[in-house]
Structure formats: structure tokens, C-alpha cells
Amino acid sequence: MNLQKHVSPHGTVMAASMMKDEAPYLLEWFAHHLAVGFTDILVYTNDCSDGTDDMLIRLEELGLGYHRRNDIPEGIKPQPSALKYAQAEPKVQEADWVLVFDADEFLSINHPSGTMDGMLDDAVAQGANGIVITWRIFGSGHVVDWSRDPVTEQYLYAAPAHWNLGWGVKTLFKFDPDYWKLGIHRPKIKNRHLKTGFPDEVKWLNGSGVEMEDYFKFRGWRSIRRTIGYNWAQMNHYAVKGIDAYAVRKFRGNVNNKKDKYNADYWSLQDRNEVKDTAILRHSEKRAEIMAELLKDPVLNRLHFAALDRLEARLDEFKQTEAYETLKASLIEASKVPITDVTAKPPKPRDPAKIAALMSEVEQQVADKPKTERRNPVVAGWDDDFLPAPVHPQARDHIEIVVNHGVKMPVDAAVFGPNALERVAAGKYARRHMRYIATLVDNPDRLLIIGGELGIVGMHAVQMLPQVTVMVNFQRSDLLRFARDIVALNDLEDSARLKLTDGPLCFATDGEDQASGFAAMMADYKPTVLRLCDPTISPTVLANTPLGRLRRVILPEELYKTPEKAAEYAGALAPKGFVQNENWEDRGMIVFDIKPAMTMAPSATAGAADA
């Protein structure tokens, strides 16, 4: 075997973990973390019956890692016990950087370098001494049968990045045992150093290389909307794997000795398959090379395949029982729980007084700073209606369908951003605009919608007004495909009154302000009402485009956002004879009419449209 430990310019970079009966997965886990750039790997084991400890002992004999026994005192759980031993372990105390994580967690380095060293280069260049790495929850991918294929290649579907129930963290940090007490999610500053200048020396970054908020120096084990980030690193959490793998684990026990942890509720929480995430595959080739070298050792080879054979034999026996069929059926049913209905353990009510009493004087000083000084902005994308392109909608049988103002919509977390997804699930997505559209247009208007809400406002107009014709333009072909699925779901695909298109709004040779694609659309379609939701059509574009027979322009507040921007649109439309219709102020939109006297004020008609 020709394999040596990695040497890092950052010194000893140690992975510390604890395991029980992980032999079938151990070599992949070990090889993967050598591949990403750890120099040392230390694992504590307790009560192993499948050769996990023997494999780790052999890896230590080969000079590739360290194994220690986790002799657990009565009344103590395995994980805290292992952490206590690790705190006093000389190899840990000598380490420069330490990351504590579990056997079902695989670190994915998303940093442009693809390596631990490259990521630490950039962190150290910022003066940082820690990186807070957030989970990505990976589900079964609807895999049932057991397979010997690598975990990181079998399970490629995960919860959306912005799903906050999956935001537990693990912390890679510069370790000094005199100052820090190890923890499973993050270390804790020892009390005797809290009132010194040491907390000021702590600078941790999030998983995108952005500085964490000061509060996290003292407490917290999860990311929040202002600290989430995956551009540098993520911790892939394969808590369930496939149904067969889960069944074996359920009857094996777990490192925390949590009673009935592996039930259907736990499965529905962890079996999230909304989006495909292949980031970790960048490490596959090197991991495979290292694992192949490990298997050249006859002892590791024998132990590895013996563990697989034992697991498969046990699984074959279990699959003949009624208990297996009952478990399998319950897990398949649990997989149907929509992500919007998943709940974690109910949080304890927040008691500000109790929290304040627990705070050190230094932490209280941090908490008392003005919000502008102690808070990061909410991360980009949180309020976006849609996930970044390209989206890949889920199979229809895995998602919930709701009726939103008469339009059936898939509650697809692989398409919608987090805030929009909540509104879709509640049947309230774009509800104000859908409520009023049948009042804003009339038979036989020709409505042109540029961008916005997947065209569902236009679909509702077609449903409500039998002589209205609608064309919706998309600038993302992936959203156009999804919108066409919604059209089919609502039996509107045969309607000559509804057209969806992704024709370009402008051409590169003309520049944004010319927007010849938009001009051609106006000339060919000849709309009488324009609902404008895409900022590509700027006030300048409107001013420079012939508007033909247009009698009304509708600007949802999502487009103009500020009074100053609204004034720009008003200035562009005024020379063309449009004035603002005051009847529509404070209704989430601005409406401009060519002849304001002809516009009907919103009234009971809007309520009728709702019904």
C-alpha cells in the first residue's frame, strides 16, 4: 500500500469522531476525509460488534489515523463521554485545527480550490481562526434496496439550502485546550477566559467565508438567516440513507442511545429529497483512489468485506419478517410528508430573562450593542420567489397540490424560495394580485404579463373572464417549463386564450434600453393591458417603446419597490398619456391608465373574483 498522511501548511488539521458499528461505511468515510485534506483522523468507539474498532486499530498501525476506546461511565451518553476523552487526548491537544463530527457526516469542500488547505489559506488571510460549517440534510433519494455503492454517490438529493430545520453546524477551529472545551457542534470558551481579551481574538467565518456575528462566540449550535452560507463548505448529513440501510441502523442502536430515535417521524424530518446536490462529487475520484489503496491492505480488505457480508446476511434475515414490511411501509408513507408539514422537536419557549441571567458580562456587552453593529444582513436569496436556475421540479407524486384562488399549484421546494414556498403552501401566493386581476382587466382585453409568479395571475384571468386573452413572457426557460406543467394541471393547455413564451426581451446588439424583443412583442401581440413584473423593462425602455393600443399598465410593488422608482415609471409613461389611477394606491401595485375616468374603482367585484 502506497499511502501517506497529508502534510498541510496549516499544521495538524484533525477530524475527531465517535462511532459504533460503522464498519460497512468506515473506509469510505475515512478515505473521503483524507481526500479533502485532513492530516489526522481520530475516532472513539464503544461496544462495536462488526469490526469497526479492529479496522481503526489497523488504520492506526498503518500510520493513517488514531483509534481510542470510549469507555463510558454509568449514566453518561457515548458522545459526551468521547468528547471528554478527546479534550484530554495528547494528539488532540497538539492539533492546530480540530473539527468534531459524526460518522454519518461527510465534509464537502465547496471552496474554489476544492481543498481544505485552500479554504484555510483564505480563512487565515482574513485573520480568522474558525469556520462554522452548516449541515445539508440528504435524504434517501427514494432508494429502498441496500447497495455497496459509496454513500456520497448513492444519495444526491437534499433539502433546499434555505430550509432552516436543517441548519445545525459543525465548527472547524484553531484549538487550544487551555481556552476551549470541545463540543459536538461548536466549542465553548472556558469561563476563566471570558472576562479576558480572548473573546475579542475569536474570529469565525461562516461556510461562505463571511464573518459570523459576535453572539456565536458564546452560544448557539445552528445557523440563522443572517449567518447561513455554503460557498466554502457544507457538512453533508446522511442521517437516513436508503430504507434497507435505515432498517439495519434502527436495529443496531445509535451513538447517543436515544430511545426510538429511528422512527417514522425522524425519517420524515431527515428524508428530504427536494433538490439535487452533487457538490461532494468533486472529491469522488481522489476518495476512490485512496479507498482502493486502503483495500490493498489484506487486513483492512478482510475486515471491510466481512462487515459487508454480515450486514447483508442480517438484512436478508430481517427482510423475511413482518417487522421489516411494517417498517418499510411506514417509511414510504413518511416520505410523503411535504417539507412544509415537517416539524422538528418542539422548541422550548424562549425566556429572555433566563438567557440574560446565563450570559457572561462580556456576552451581555455584545448583546447590548445596537443591532446595526451586531447583526449581519439576511443572506441573499431568502426573499427570492424562485431558487437559482436551473430548477428541477420534483415528481408530482412526491409533492402536495394546493388550490390558490382557483389555480392548482404544486408546493415544490425544488422551485420556490423559502418565503414564497410558505405562501404557496398556504394558498396565498400572489393572492393580492390574483384577487384583483379580474377587476383590472375586462372582456375582451389582451393582457401581456412580463415575468412574475409563473403566470398564475394570467391563468386566473383566463379562468375568470371568458373573452380575455393572455400572453405571459418568461426570461428563464426552466420556469417556463414548470409553468407549463401548472397549465396542464389546471386543464388550460388547450386554451387558445393563454400563451406562454420565453422570447427575449432585448437583444445584445440593441442594449437593454432598446429592448427590441419587447417592442416586437408589443407590436405583434397588441396588448391592451400590460402587467410588468420584470425590471429588464426599465422606465427608459417604456419611454422608448411604442405602446400601441395599450390602455393600462400595472406595476406590482415587487417591481418598483421605492417611491423614487415608481416616480421614474410615472415619468416615462406621462408623455404617452398615462396617469396614475389613484383608486389602486396602497393595494400592492401602481396602475397607470390612458384615460383615468374610464377605470372602475375596486369594489365588490374584487370580492366576487375571490369567490
Side-chain angles (χ1 to χ4, degrees), residues 25 74 80 98 149 213 270 275 310 324 371 383 396 398:
Y25 306 108
E74 186 175 351
V98 174
D149 292 340
E213 295 183 2
Q270 301 288 349
V275 296
R310 278 194 300 270
Y324 171 82
K371 290 181 181 179
D383 291 321
R396 188 66 53 76
H398 295 144

Side-chain angles (χ1 to χ4, degrees), residues 153-201:
E153 295 180 9
Q154 280 194 75
Y155 307 109
L156 298 175
Y157 289 87
H162 284 156
W163 187 53
N164 62 1
L165 293 188
W167 281 356
V169 303
K170 298 300 168 83
T171 307
L172 173 67
F173 72 108
K174 287 276 285 185
F175 182 55
D176 185 328
D178 183 56
Y179 288 88
W180 291 105
K181 181 180 179 182
L182 294 174
I184 191 59
H185 292 285
R186 47 81 53 77
K188 181 181 178 181
I189 300 174
K190 291 185 176 179
N191 289 338
R192 65 176 178 270
H193 296 293
L194 286 173
K195 293 186 178 181
T196 69
F198 180 71
D200 294 331
E201 299 175 14

Side-chain angles (χ1 to χ4, degrees), residues 365-388:
Q365 291 172 0
V366 169
D368 288 342
K369 289 181 180 179
K371 290 181 181 179
T372 54
E373 294 182 20
R374 58 185 168 88
R375 288 188 173 183
N376 295 348
V378 173
V379 294
W382 188 263
D383 291 321
D384 293 348
D385 270 16
F386 308 109
L387 299 183

